[in-house]
Amino acid sequence: MDRHYMKMALALAARARGRTSPNPMVGAVVVKDSRIVGQGFHARAGTPHAEVLALAEAGDEARGATLYVTLEPCCHHGRTGPCAEAVIAAGVAKVVIAMLDPNPLVSGGGIRRLREAGVEVVTGVMEDDALELNEVFIKYITTGLPFVVAKAAMSLDGKIATHSGNAKWITGAEARAYGHCLRDWYDAILVGIGTVLADNPSLTTRLTAGRGRDPVRIILDSRAKTPLDANVLNRQSAAPAIIATTAGAPPERLEALRQAGAEVLVVNEGPRVELAQLVKILGKREITSLLIEGGAGVHGSAFAAEIVDKAVWFIAPKIIGGQEAPGPVGGRGVDDLSGAAALERVKVSRLGPDFCIAGYLKYRGG
């Protein structure tokens, strides 16, 4: 029964996917005499935590009940009060927790406080599911860096476009819709100037019935070549547009882009934007996750810099062919297969006629 109720709590938490940054997703269920008497989830940063909402719904029924929560209740004052104290005050007899909070301000402290107050605590129920649900938060809170996802769509023979540059559409509607879900879930999206010049994308989220949140839009543009009328600079979206550039970009172009509504972010000196430095800057801005939808050059740079945590690859069962047709990852690449980055914890799924392969990067020596 612990797994049954924890599964419900995890489902509640996932309802806020893409909305809680820089906080984790958390769900809570209060059970008494085999009845659910309260439930809640953390909707967004600054709003009540899941435990508080679930306990409020339970009211007096919380006394002597069991609380199922996907993340260790906090024990410190942040934007809201400590949840561990609220649990104790409500008279909960037992707390079942999926995973410990990786936040150094909390980790283990919430559990200690509950046990000191005489509350029975069980941990590790559906822990792997909870860890995957909050993989963004875990990376960010322990390193200060955003969780980076590289996404690409290619044919069965590894092409992202024809030799003439045509790429619409390699994958079907289902895969493209899932791609927009990824935009909705992650804080920011990144492409290179090559993609902007070739495709003029808006980089917005387009889901059915107008649902979806537009991510912060970031363009790698070392020489400030982004056209002033580019769709990514459109005012119809409230999402900021950031031009990540270098000190070598022409000052007059930088000012023109500012006037067009973009934020100009000078990352470093050299000829190219250093991605390792860029993600550090983004982390300091509380951008906790980054989706890379670049072409071969941007993906090649991202993998070479070893900033990618997860790859999501869509593969269409079609053959494009052509030696001049581009692949999804450019750059120099590795000299020997022993140096290739490998995917771990790989999942394969079907989206209409296409396949999606997702996994976590393990770099050589990492």
Side-chain angles (χ1 to χ4, degrees):
M1 292 308 295
D2 282 353
R3 290 182 59 85
H4 170 74
Y5 291 121
M6 188 60 75
K7 187 174 182 179
M8 294 179 62
L10 287 164
L12 283 168
R15 289 172 60 179
R17 191 184 297 274
R19 302 297 183 270
T20 62
S21 179
N23 288 355
M25 290 174 277
V26 184
V29 176
V30 183
V31 178
K32 189 172 186 179
D33 300 328
S34 300
R35 294 180 298 112
I36 296 173
V37 295
Q39 54 186 329
F41 65 94
H42 181 49
R44 63 183 59 87
T47 62
H49 287 188
E51 303 96 314
V52 172
L53 293 171
L55 292 171
E57 185 175 290
D60 292 339
E61 293 270 40
R63 188 161 300 278
T66 298
L67 170 68
Y68 293 86
V69 63
T70 58
L71 184 71
E72 174 185 4
C74 61
C75 58
H76 70 295
H77 287 271
R79 290 171 175 164
T80 60
C83 292
E85 297 301 332
V87 173
I88 294 167
V92 169
K94 180 180 178 180
V95 178
V96 180
I97 299 168
M99 62 172 281
L100 272 64
D101 193 332
N103 187 342
L105 295 175
V106 179
S107 190
I111 292 174
R112 285 194 301 272
R113 180 68 188 99
L114 291 172
R115 285 174 172 160
E116 288 170 358
V119 178
E120 181 184 353
V121 178
V122 176
T123 63
V125 176
M126 297 192 73
E127 182 178 26
D128 288 344
D129 298 79
L131 290 169
E132 182 176 350
L133 178 70
N134 272 314
E135 59 193 14
V136 167
F137 175 72
I138 294 168
K139 167 76 180 294
Y140 179 72
I141 203 66
T142 56
T143 67
L145 300 174
F147 185 85
V148 179
V149 177
K151 173 240 174 184
M154 68 180 193
S155 62
L156 192 61
D157 58 335
K159 308 296 184 181
I160 61 172
T162 66
H163 68 88
S164 63
N166 180 258
K168 294 184 179 180
W169 296 102
I170 288 179
T171 53
E174 294 89 343
R176 296 199 302 273
Y178 185 68
H180 281 280
C181 287
L182 295 176
R183 292 184 180 186
D184 180 54
W185 295 343
Y186 296 115
D187 289 350
I189 184 172
L190 181 146
V191 300
I193 181 60
T195 295
V196 172
L197 294 176
D199 301 334
N200 194 21
S202 297
L203 303 182
T204 53
T205 300
R206 297 181 294 281
L207 296 174
T208 57
R211 296 181 300 111
R213 174 193 56 85
D214 292 340
V216 175
R217 298 166 293 173
I218 304 172
I219 311 301
L220 289 182
D221 186 1
S222 59
R223 299 298 297 171
K225 294 181 179 180
T226 300
L228 302 182
D229 60 351
N231 287 337
V232 75
L233 302 182
N234 76 77
R235 306 295 178 88
Q236 296 178 352
S237 174
I242 298 175
I243 306 298
T245 188
T246 68
E252 64 275 11
R253 285 293 303 164
L254 299 182
E255 182 56 31
L257 287 167
R258 292 189 184 99
Q259 292 297 321
E263 177 187 351
V264 173
L265 182 62
V266 178
V267 177
N268 56 274
E269 293 284 342
R272 295 177 177 271
V273 176
E274 294 179 5
L275 291 179
Q277 182 64 24
L278 176 60
V279 294
K280 290 179 181 178
I281 295 171
L282 298 180
K284 291 178 180 177
R285 293 178 168 220
E286 289 194 339
I287 291 178
T288 65
S289 55
L290 176 66
L291 176 66
I292 298 178
E293 282 194 12
V298 171
H299 277 137
S301 296
F303 285 109
E306 298 189 357
I307 66 166
V308 179
D309 297 292
K310 185 177 184 178
V312 179
W313 243 239
F314 299 103
I315 302 175
K318 57 183 67 171
I319 306 294
I320 292 177
Q323 291 184 345
E324 302 302 318
V329 182
R332 176 181 172 83
V334 298
D335 295 323
D336 188 271
L337 280 176
S338 63
L343 292 187
E344 300 180 317
R345 292 175 284 153
V346 175
K347 291 184 178 180
V348 180
S349 56
R350 188 78 180 266
L351 293 167
D354 307 312
F355 294 88
C356 177
I357 298 178
Y360 299 86
L361 270 294
K362 179 177 175 59
Y363 297 98
R364 184 180 181 184

